[in-house]
């Protein structure tokens, strides 16, 4: 009984069985293998045709929805009335086959997206008062300590507080290899711990976690929102009306009802209706494989028209966090590496991002253990001072040096100015009351940025930099990226105004950003693309597309995919309309009978679906 109930509830298995039985009945009917009365082709009419008729009647009565099913139902009924049982069965079978192919294409297109939904962790291993217990994931609170074992899915977003591991982040970021993680590193819900055990502190839980945010984006991905889909639906409605008039006119002029029935068969606008949604969903599925979530179907349609792409700087073209890019000693007997060691040691207890960046850089480039600072103190807005191995170290800005009577040599000042003009922040360092040198830090440009800009230029899309940073930092990053059009010192309204000017000049803009200050520009742009990982929730909600792994290298692929998707839609529409037109002429002339008409028409529907499915494998050069 359970097997029977499972079969009844499984639409896919039931559809496959009905199609198989219908195919067998049509073969037996066509070749007269068995002499059965009534015609065994009735099996196909009942199993495949009745659901179509039921859907047509339901649509008419509940929504007055005149679409393809209505015309198919009329064609089925007319074929039966004139005794063309095999033709009616064939129409029903091929229509059901086309619908099944469409569903499988759409399902395959969405498969990559829906993995996120199934990855939602159901339980978490929480450590409270030294006791470890497994609780439902939704009961985890912020600041709870969780223990994650090898092979387990991480339940919430958080920070590792003990242990080391490697995490498979492929479903969230598309990275092929696991990412090494240690104390202080962020981990995200839905990703998988590859080996070892680590403890983490929960930071974002429940609906705020990465996996839940991505699921909300997934659930909003809907090909039905594309404007061009609505256009195809409207055409389908008119075609149904024209088909009925054409069939009636042909019957009236020729007196041959079989020609009228054939016209009804070939006039069904199935291929036209399938042309767009299958291509849009295949395009969305392709983008997902590259870590790109398309929230709305019409975003691809709009993206295909873009001629400019505007980038935010911090967190988009750059990594969004300071890194040491240069350090120089000006003291005889103190090497550059020695200067960095003293600075990193003094900054160990600093909570300032610049101080943390210096310490992190030293640990990355040196295996030596840093000495612990003594008499550490921090002066807000100035810097730090500490005793390191018996030496008094000051590390801070020029004001701190002046307040402590430290005179900076001209060579140090001039060198520091040069780095500030390149967008760097400078930390001056003094040792035992005398200037020792400086350390320069900057927000480092992503290494793939220049190549991205070059690829965009190759498809006639101009890159623009819109940033709130000052002129020197903006111009330096623009030069590094190969961007000629730069606007700096931009407030959120300035970014909006710049985009508005371009679009008023008929230059459609795609905006790529990550922060709250980018949200208005993301909304204003023809298409908004947000950095889905580090980007703020507000920015993601304002955008049409999210880059799950903050990986901008796939933006050229996204634009090429959008153009290819629209090209596929136009080809689908053209081929379906051309095939219908030729088939109608042949039907009016009596060259096509209902059986051949059904074959020709439905071959067009299948061709449209297969042509759209090719988008799933599309890869840009």
């Amino acid at each position: 009984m359970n097997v029977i109930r499972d079969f009844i509830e499984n639409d896919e298995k039931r559809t496959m069985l009905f199609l198989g039985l219908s195919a067998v009945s049509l073969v037996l009917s066509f070749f007269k293998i068995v002499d059965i009365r009534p015609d065994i082709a009735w099996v196909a009419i009942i199993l495949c045709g009745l659901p179509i008729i039921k859907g047509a009647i339901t649509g008419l009565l509940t929504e007055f929805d005149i679409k393809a099913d209505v015309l198919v139902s009329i064609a089925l009924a007319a074929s039966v009335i004139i005794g063309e049982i095999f033709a009616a069965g064939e129409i029903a079978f091929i229509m059901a086959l086309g619908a099944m192919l469409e569903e499988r294409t759409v399902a395959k297109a969405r498969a990559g997206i829906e993995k996120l939904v199934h990855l939602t962790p159901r339980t978490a291993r929480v450590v409270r008062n030294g006791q470890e217990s497994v609780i439902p994931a939704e009961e985890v609170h912020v600041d709870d300590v969780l223990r994650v074992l090898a092979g387990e899915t991480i339940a919430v977003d958080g920070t590792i507080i003990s242990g080391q591991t490697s995490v498979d982040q492929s479903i969230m970021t598309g990275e092929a290899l696991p990412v090494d993680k240690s104390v202080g590193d962020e981990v995200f819900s839905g990703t998988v711990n590859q080996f070892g055990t680590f403890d983490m502190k929960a930071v974002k839980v429940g609906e705020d976690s990465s996996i839940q945010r991505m699921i909300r984006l997934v659930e909003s991905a809907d090909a039905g929102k594309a404007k061009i889909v609505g256009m195809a639906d409207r055409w389908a409605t008119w075609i149904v009306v024209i088909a009925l008039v054409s069939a009636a006119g042909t019957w009236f002029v020729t007196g041959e009802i079989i020609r009228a029935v054939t016209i009804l068969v070939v006039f069904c606008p199935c291929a036209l209706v399938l042309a767009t949604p299958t291509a849009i969903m295949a395009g969305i599925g392709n983008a997902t494989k590259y870590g790109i979530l398309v929230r709305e179907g019409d975003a691809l349609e709009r993206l295909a028209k873009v001629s400019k792409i505007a980038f935010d700087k911090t967190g988009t073209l750059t990594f969004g966090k300071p890194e040491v890019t240069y350090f120089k000693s000006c003291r005889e007997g103190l090497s550059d590496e020695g200067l960095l060691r003293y600075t990193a040691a003094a900054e160990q207890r600093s909570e300032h991002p610049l101080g943390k960046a210096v310490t992190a850089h030293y640990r990355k480039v040196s295996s030596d253990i840093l000495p612990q600072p003594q008499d550490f103190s921090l002066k807000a807005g100035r810097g730090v001072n500490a005793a390191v191995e018996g030496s008094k170290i000051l590390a801070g800005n020029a004001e701190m040096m002046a307040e402590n009577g430290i005179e900076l040599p001209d060579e140090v000042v001039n060198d520091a100015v040069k780095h500030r003009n390149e967008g760097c922040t400078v930390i001056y360092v003094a040792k035992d009351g005398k200037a020792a040198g400086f350390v320069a830090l900057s927000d480092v440009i992503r290494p793939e940025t220049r190549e991205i800009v070059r690829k965009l230029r190759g498809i006639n899309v101009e890159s623009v930099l819109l940033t709130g940073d000052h002129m020197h930092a903006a111009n330096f990053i623009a030069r590094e990226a190969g961007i000629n059009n730069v606007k700096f010192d931009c407030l959120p309204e300035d970014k909006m105004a710049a985009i508005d000017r371009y679009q008023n000049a008929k230059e459609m803009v795609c905006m790529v950003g990550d922060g709250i200050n980018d949200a208005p520009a993301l909304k204003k742009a023809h298409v908004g693309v947000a950095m889905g990982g580090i980007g703020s929730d507000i920015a993601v909600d304002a955008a049409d597309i999210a880059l799950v792994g903050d990986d901008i290298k796939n933006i050229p692929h996204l634009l090429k995919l959008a153009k290819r998707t629209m090209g596929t839609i136009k080809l689908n529409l053209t081929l379906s309309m051309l095939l219908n037109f030729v088939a109608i002429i042949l039907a009016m002339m009596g060259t096509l009978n209902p059986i051949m008409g059904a074959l020709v028409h439905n071959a067009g529907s299948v061709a449209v679906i297969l042509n759209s499915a090719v988008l799933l494998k599309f890869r840009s050069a």
Side-chain angles (χ1 to χ4, degrees), residues 90 103 130 200 341 375 417 536 577 581:
E90 184 191 35
E103 289 173 4
M200 59 176 282
R341 182 172 179 271
D375 301 325
V417 168
S536 74
M577 294 175 71
F581 178 75

Side-chain angles (χ1 to χ4, degrees), residues 302-459:
R302 286 182 274 126
L303 196 60
K305 301 173 183 176
V306 162
S307 60
K308 273 186 167 54
I309 182 162
F311 290 100
D312 171 49
K313 183 183 81 68
T314 305
T316 303
L317 293 185
T318 66
F319 287 106
K321 57 183 181 180
E323 291 188 17
V324 173
T325 58
Y326 183 84
F327 48 94
K328 181 72 175 176
S329 170
C330 66
R331 285 278 291 275
E332 189 176 343
L334 179 64
S335 67
D336 295 342
E337 291 72 19
L339 173 80
L340 179 65
R341 182 172 179 271
Y342 276 118
T343 310
E347 294 279 12
Q348 274 186 96
R349 296 179 184 174
S350 172
E351 291 298 316
H352 195 283
L354 294 179
K356 288 183 175 181
V358 173
T359 303
H361 180 78
Y362 180 82
R363 287 175 173 155
K364 185 166 67 173
V365 300
S366 175
S367 59
D368 293 345
I369 298 175
L370 281 172
Q372 290 299 313
Q374 304 297 319
D375 301 325
F376 172 86
S377 66
L378 182 148
K379 189 171 183 181
R382 290 291 186 266
V384 302
N385 64 70
V388 178
E389 295 181 329
S391 295
K392 183 179 179 182
I393 303 298
L394 293 178
N397 55 24
E399 288 78 5
M400 184 178 193
M401 297 296 118
E403 289 170 0
N404 286 272
I406 307 297
E407 186 176 344
L408 297 172
D410 290 343
E411 62 185 84
V412 171
V413 173
N414 294 335
D415 203 2
V417 168
K418 182 182 74 173
H419 285 84
R420 278 205 301 271
N421 288 341
E422 294 177 352
C424 293
T425 299
V426 171
I427 298 177
Y428 294 103
V429 184
K431 178 175 180 284
D432 294 328
K434 292 185 178 181
F438 72 94
V439 177
L441 304 94
S442 72
D443 187 3
V444 180
I445 191 170
R446 296 175 187 266
E448 65 271 20
T449 299
R450 178 172 282 275
E451 180 65 11
I452 290 167
V453 172
R454 186 190 66 78
K455 288 181 177 179
L456 291 172
R457 193 179 296 119
I459 55 175

Side-chain angles (χ1 to χ4, degrees), residues 9 38 57 92 149 194-195 271 408 490 505 555 558 616:
E9 293 175 352
I57 293 173
L149 307 184
Q194 293 289 284
F195 62 85
L408 297 172
C490 290
I555 285 180
L558 176 61
L616 288 166

Side-chain angles (χ1 to χ4, degrees), residues 80 182 364:
V80 169
S182 59
K364 185 166 67 173

Side-chain angles (χ1 to χ4, degrees), residues 97-232:
L97 178 63
M100 187 269 291
L101 286 174
E102 178 199 4
E103 289 173 4
R104 289 179 71 88
T105 300
V106 171
K108 187 175 181 182
R110 293 185 64 88
I113 307 175
E114 291 174 346
K115 286 180 183 177
L116 290 170
V117 178
H118 299 305
L119 275 176
T120 304
R122 301 192 181 280
T123 60
R125 193 181 306 275
V126 66
V127 180
R128 291 172 179 163
N129 300 320
Q131 297 295 315
E132 181 182 311
S133 60
V134 177
I135 64 173
E138 58 268 21
E139 293 181 9
V140 176
H141 299 125
V142 173
D143 291 335
D144 272 349
V145 175
L146 305 184
R147 182 160 294 156
V148 185
L149 307 184
E152 290 186 340
T153 301
I154 298 169
V156 299
D157 293 8
T159 304
I160 295 178
I161 57 176
S162 69
Q164 291 183 326
T165 186
S166 189
V167 177
D168 179 2
Q169 300 184 157
S170 58
I171 193 62
M172 295 295 289
T173 67
E175 291 169 289
L177 299 175
V179 179
D180 292 335
K181 301 281 187 178
S182 59
V183 175
D185 288 334
E186 289 182 305
V187 289
F188 306 100
S189 60
T191 58
V192 181
N193 181 22
Q194 293 289 284
F195 62 85
T197 299
F198 66 86
D199 289 352
M200 59 176 282
K201 179 181 285 189
V203 175
K204 290 186 178 181
V205 302
E207 293 299 313
D208 293 329
S209 67
S210 296
I211 190 71
Q212 290 299 323
R213 191 173 74 203
M214 291 303 109
I215 288 171
R216 289 198 296 274
L217 291 176
V218 168
E219 291 172 344
S220 67
D222 181 7
K225 293 179 181 177
K227 296 181 180 66
I228 200 164
V229 173
M231 187 188 305

